[in-house]
Amino acid sequence: FRRPGGQGGWETTFESWRAVGVQRQDGDGSTEGGVVWTPLKALQRSTEKAHRSYSGDVSRLVDICRETLVFEGVADLAQCLALACEDKDLCVVRVKNRMRRGHDASLTCGYRNVSINLRVVSDLATRLGVDTHVCELQLLLRSFAEKKTHDSHARYIRFRDIRGE
């Protein structure tokens, strides 16, 4: 992701989660890269997804808690993915690569990202009893982040509802 750099610019960096603070998201909704803080999945949508997609098995909901990291380019995104997979405080459960050549983008309305389901398995997470909780980290290119608007999301919701997802 990117953080403030010298002379008012931005620099690409990878850091431990402990060292990362809130990254830039402009007031107009545009991003310059960084963390886009995401609310928890709403109860109504969680219930809907559990029934439509998982036959009521709520243990399969792994995106209630989710965050998005925005990257300028594919190389930075790939490096972040590699670092997450190597991080001893994380257990990567699944990677959905919606950027691979063989991905059928019609299934996601053209949307592409890399979605990592992971558990935080640090000593602190274990002491707090949250080391078994699976959450989602979405890795997204800035070009896609800029296209995510209220209207585009509303269209996706209609598409998803028609498909019964």
Side-chain angles (χ1 to χ4, degrees):
F1 60 89
R2 295 172 47 86
R3 68 175 184 179
Q7 300 173 340
W10 291 81
E11 66 180 344
T12 302
T13 184
F14 297 95
E15 297 184 35
S16 160
W17 282 105
R18 288 178 208 85
V20 176
V22 175
Q23 296 300 308
R24 180 177 178 186
Q25 180 170 8
D26 294 337
D28 64 1
S30 65
T31 59
E32 288 290 332
V35 179
V36 178
W37 299 108
T38 310
L40 294 175
K41 183 179 288 294
L43 178 60
Q44 178 180 346
R45 174 59 187 143
S46 295
T47 303
E48 184 179 83
K49 186 172 185 178
H51 287 284
R52 287 181 177 180
S53 300
Y54 304 129
S55 301
D57 183 359
V58 296
S59 70
R60 295 184 61 197
L61 285 174
V62 293
D63 62 347
I64 293 173
C65 177
R66 70 235 173 174
E67 291 300 340
T68 300
L69 297 179
V70 179
F71 298 88
E72 292 293 326
V74 173
D76 291 336
L77 185 150
Q79 186 178 3
C80 180
L81 175 60
L83 290 171
C85 290
E86 295 168 5
D87 191 323
K88 69 176 184 61
D89 288 334
L90 300 178
C91 174
V92 174
V93 176
R94 176 178 70 178
V95 175
K96 272 190 186 178
N97 183 356
R98 294 182 188 100
M99 294 183 64
R100 73 183 189 288
R101 287 188 198 273
H103 172 71
D104 183 356
S106 70
L107 298 175
T108 54
C109 293
Y111 183 75
R112 295 196 179 239
N113 72 354
V114 174
S115 176
I116 307 170
N117 294 119
L118 56 86
R119 294 184 298 115
V120 178
V121 293
S122 65
D123 291 339
L124 176 60
T126 302
R127 284 195 307 274
L128 293 173
V130 296
D131 55 315
T132 61
H133 177 78
V134 179
C135 55
E136 181 177 85
L137 179 61
Q138 294 183 15
L139 310 181
L140 183 64
L141 293 176
R142 180 177 170 190
S143 57
F144 281 94
E146 291 173 343
K147 303 226 178 341
K148 279 178 85 170
T149 65
H150 177 73
D151 290 341
S152 68
H153 188 66
R155 283 191 301 275
Y156 171 72
I157 289 171
R158 286 191 304 273
F159 172 80
R160 180 189 71 207
D161 288 347
I162 289 168
R163 291 176 50 93
E165 298 175 344

